[in-house]
């Protein structure tokens, strides 16, 4: 219990888990069974990839081929379900902290550190007193549910980014950035273009040490400075 009542949990709910762990294995089983049953027909299509695999399946007794196809389809569906479950975001809010759980990792942000909270596109963003980002977490959680949970517990919610007008489009060599930040933005641009999300996330955190906040629009980068831009020591 807190001064604002019990913690509030915002997540995608049980329904999504049912779809992930029930639906995907069933679909996988159906697809695997169809591919096994149609292996002979597929081998007659010269343009089809993995011809060797389909010929191998076509040579098996029907019962083994069908059972193997269904089994592999179920396994593939379970793998997809596990990946989808790991990618779910859960936000737990009380009067003193926010806890974010994603891919088995948990991050905690104190209310005392936070000046404002808002959603930017699909990103939940918490800013500190110097307008630097404490966290930027992408999710499909509904904005209205996040807003209701945070406001219920007394968090400073904003309907839009209060610093939106301060962002400038990044262009290589553009003046105004702290020394070293342009090189990091170049590296991050390459990571975005190659869809290396983990690397782009790490470079965003490194730019934060320089007092540079970055937001993305497709594969374009926009930046602004915090109130205390600095170079790391």
């Amino acid at each position: 219990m807190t001064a604002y009542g019990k913690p509030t949990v915002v997540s995608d709910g049980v329904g999504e888990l049912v779809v992930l762990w029930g639906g995907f294995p069933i679909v996988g089983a159906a697809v695997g069974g169809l591919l096994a049953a149609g292996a002979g027909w597929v081998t007659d299509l010269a343009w089809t990839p993995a011809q060797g695999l389909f010929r191998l399946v076509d040579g098996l007794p029907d019962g083994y081929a069908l059972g193997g196809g269904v089994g592999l389809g179920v396994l593939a569906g379970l793998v997809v379900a596990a990946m989808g479950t790991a990618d779910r975001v859960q936000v737990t809010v009380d009067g003193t902290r926010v806890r974010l759980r994603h891919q088995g990792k948990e991050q905690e942000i104190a209310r005392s550190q936070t000046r404002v909270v808002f959603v930017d596109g699909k990103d939940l963003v918490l800013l500190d007193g110097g307008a630097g980002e404490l966290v930027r977490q992408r999710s499909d959680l509904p904005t209205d549910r996040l807003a209701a949970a945070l406001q219920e517990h007394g968090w400073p919610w904003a309907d839009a980014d209060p610093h939106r007008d301060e962002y400038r489009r990044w262009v290589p060599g553009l003046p105004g950035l702290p020394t070293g930040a342009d090189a990091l933005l170049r590296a991050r641009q390459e990571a975005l273009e190659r869809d290396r999300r983990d690397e782009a996330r790490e470079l965003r955190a490194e730019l934060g040490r320089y007092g540079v906040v970055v937001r993305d629009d497709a594969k374009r980068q926009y930046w602004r400075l915090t109130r205390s831009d600095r170079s790391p020591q």
Side-chain angles (χ1 to χ4, degrees):
M1 297 286 290
T2 71
Y4 295 96
K6 294 191 299 183
T8 302
V9 177
V10 184
S11 68
D12 288 317
V14 177
E16 185 183 72
L17 290 175
V18 171
V19 171
L20 286 171
W21 292 99
F24 280 103
I26 291 173
V27 171
V31 172
L34 287 172
L35 288 175
W41 176 76
V42 173
T43 58
D44 293 333
L45 304 175
W47 52 267
T48 307
Q51 283 284 323
L53 176 61
F54 282 106
R55 280 195 292 269
L56 176 63
V57 173
D58 188 43
L60 294 174
D62 290 346
Y64 287 106
L66 184 60
V70 170
L72 287 174
V74 170
L75 180 60
L78 290 173
V79 169
V80 172
M83 293 172 61
T85 300
D87 202 45
R88 282 163 50 98
V89 175
Q90 178 178 291
V91 180
T92 304
V93 186
D94 63 30
T96 61
R97 61 185 177 175
V98 164
R99 292 196 306 276
L100 301 171
R101 182 180 292 275
H102 180 234
Q103 294 183 340
K105 299 177 182 178
E106 189 169 281
Q107 186 174 3
E108 186 174 298
I109 304 94
R111 169 68 182 84
S112 58
Q113 295 176 277
T114 308
R115 182 177 63 85
V116 66
V117 189
F118 57 92
V119 169
D120 179 21
K122 290 190 173 184
D123 297 341
L124 176 64
V125 183
L126 283 76
L127 300 184
D128 62 21
E133 286 185 351
L134 294 167
V135 68
R136 176 180 283 266
Q137 177 62 61
R138 175 148 296 197
S139 79
D140 290 319
L141 297 174
T143 298
D144 57 347
R145 289 178 57 198
L146 289 169
L150 287 153
Q151 290 175 318
E152 176 187 354
H153 293 281
W155 286 70
W157 175 265
D159 291 331
D161 183 350
H163 301 281
R164 180 89 179 198
D165 293 339
E166 299 174 23
Y167 284 92
R168 301 166 61 189
R169 171 80 180 272
W170 175 71
V171 177
L174 188 73
L177 285 163
T179 302
D182 188 69
L184 291 172
L185 284 163
R186 290 174 188 265
R188 190 170 184 276
Q189 184 66 46
E190 181 178 352
L192 289 174
E193 291 173 354
R194 296 177 180 273
D195 202 27
R196 298 198 294 253
R197 291 184 292 177
D198 289 343
E199 183 179 347
R201 185 163 49 248
E202 291 172 2
L203 288 166
R204 178 195 295 279
E206 185 67 18
L207 283 159
R209 296 179 60 216
Y210 286 74
V212 178
V213 179
V214 185
R215 64 180 302 275
D216 301 325
D217 183 354
K219 295 186 184 296
R220 297 185 296 273
Q221 298 184 97
Y222 293 80
W223 64 273
R224 66 171 174 83
L225 298 178
T226 66
R227 293 175 181 171
S228 55
D229 55 289
R230 69 274 187 195
S231 296
Q233 301 299 316

